[in-house]
Amino acid sequence: MSIPNHVAIIMDGNGRWAKQRRLPRYFGHREGVNSLKRIVRYCGDIGIKILTVYAFSTENWNRPAGEVQYLMKLMELTFGVELEELVQNGVKVRVIGDITSVSPKQQQIWRSAEERTKHNDRLFLNVAFNYGGRMEITQAIRGIASDVLEGKFTIDQITEEVVNRYLYTKDLADPDLIIRTGGELRMSNFLLWQSAYSEWYFTETLWPDFDIEEFKKALESFKQRERRFGRVYE
Ligand code: IPE
Ligand code: IPE
Ligand code: MG
């Protein structure tokens, strides 16, 4: 098996990276953006088509207000002021998550990032922002129920393909490889539906330390996997 078509990453460990250096947590988040830029560039270079990154979960609102505010500002900077780099690199940005509940300024930034990169097709970068897998599935159920009520289709016509169309990731292939940095062995509400047959790669490496060498290790591990999808191979 060669390189994955769709890689998803749970970028975890920023706070611990900062703590190791006796710095406030936000230093870790700032350094994490550099990691992201590095990986985005590399994915484009080696021909990975889709990269989905977990930037802010629906549960992350429960962090101290100062940290939440900092993360919002950082996102504004990365996908607002510094968008040009992504535009130049042929990256097509899409936000997956509920942006209706963030500030109008933040919404504007996401919309213009999507608008300004919409003709790019080198790398599709999905940013999971205010994203939660259960929330995504719940809003899909609402959408389907309401369309059934409106008579657009019947209950019997609800197939897995139909469910797919109501998710944020509607027209995207499922992730082939999901990487979680920072050493935790859990999903934390990320891509619950889409990860049904993804290969997982966990590493102790903290996100700000995740460099190209580390990424290559994950890709190498993926290469060795035999994806059976329930079948048997002699
Ligand atoms: C991931 O790093 C970044 C976000 C969740 C936004 P953390 O901030 O969770 O870092 P740790 O897990 O506390 O080290
Ligand atoms: C998952 O990391 C969310 C993101 C990386 C954005 P968390 O640090 O929030 O996950 P938990 O709380 O350890 O499960
Ligand atoms: Mg964490």
Side-chain angles (χ1 to χ4, degrees):
M1 199 184 308
S2 51
I3 62 163
N5 173 55
H6 183 175
V7 176
I9 308 182
I10 302 179
M11 310 183 288
D12 196 19
N14 295 350
R16 279 163 286 166
W17 183 90
K19 199 174 168 204
Q20 281 178 351
R21 289 162 180 74
R22 296 173 205 282
L23 295 167
R25 291 177 58 83
Y26 69 87
F27 274 84
H29 296 315
R30 203 180 60 184
E31 199 52 38
V33 171
N34 291 331
S35 250
L36 175 61
K37 287 181 178 172
R38 193 159 62 212
I39 296 301
V40 166
R41 250 178 262 127
Y42 187 69
C43 281
D45 289 347
I46 63 168
I48 287 171
K49 274 326 279 183
I50 311 170
L51 174 67
T52 301
V53 293
Y54 207 3
F56 194 88
S57 76
T58 47
E59 288 73 33
N60 287 147
W61 294 107
N62 299 318
R63 295 189 176 200
E67 182 169 348
V68 171
Q69 240 168 39
Y70 184 83
L71 285 166
M72 295 298 149
K73 278 269 163 272
L74 199 59
M75 232 79 78
E76 283 177 29
L77 194 66
T78 311
F79 293 95
V81 184
E82 297 174 10
L83 185 71
E84 203 48 42
E85 189 184 335
L86 294 172
V87 177
Q88 296 307 326
N89 284 331
V91 176
K92 181 177 177 139
V93 177
R94 180 199 287 183
V95 57
I96 61 167
D98 177 20
I99 59 160
T100 61
S101 58
V102 299
S103 75
K105 188 180 173 201
Q106 183 78 236
Q107 289 184 36
Q108 181 48 38
I109 280 168
W110 288 119
R111 264 192 230 106
S112 77
E114 288 181 340
E115 179 61 28
R116 287 197 46 216
T117 60
K118 72 176 178 198
H119 296 302
N120 285 346
D121 63 0
R122 187 155 174 258
L123 174 71
F124 288 59
L125 174 64
N126 306 308
V127 185
F129 173 76
N130 193 21
Y131 174 88
R134 286 188 171 179
M135 181 188 73
E136 178 183 39
I137 293 169
T138 305
Q139 63 88 32
I141 292 170
R142 285 207 197 108
I144 292 168
S146 124
D147 284 351
V148 166
L149 279 178
E150 281 179 28
K152 291 191 183 155
F153 48 82
T154 66
I155 289 175
D156 292 339
Q157 287 170 323
I158 304 173
T159 58
E160 291 184 10
E161 286 64 41
V162 170
V163 175
N164 261 321
R165 287 211 305 270
Y166 286 78
L167 301 174
Y168 295 122
T169 49
K170 45 184 166 261
D171 41 11
L172 297 170
D174 287 340
D176 301 292
L177 170 66
I178 305 183
I179 299 170
R180 181 170 188 145
T181 64
E184 311 295 353
L185 306 178
R186 54 177 172 256
M187 299 173 78
S188 300
N189 207 8
F190 189 48
L191 301 178
L192 297 180
W193 170 278
Q194 298 87 340
S195 63
Y197 258 109
S198 303
E199 297 293 330
W200 283 84
Y201 180 84
F202 295 98
T203 172
E204 290 286 331
T205 304
L206 305 172
W207 176 246
D209 290 328
F210 192 79
D211 56 15
I212 304 302
E213 284 317 304
E214 292 292 328
F215 191 44
K216 280 183 184 164
K217 283 185 207 163
L219 296 175
E220 196 46 50
S221 166
F222 177 80
K223 250 191 206 164
Q224 311 300 326
R225 317 270 180 103
E226 184 186 58
R227 302 183 80 188
R228 287 188 288 275
F229 300 101
R231 294 184 294 250
V232 282
Y233 289 111
E234 290 314 316

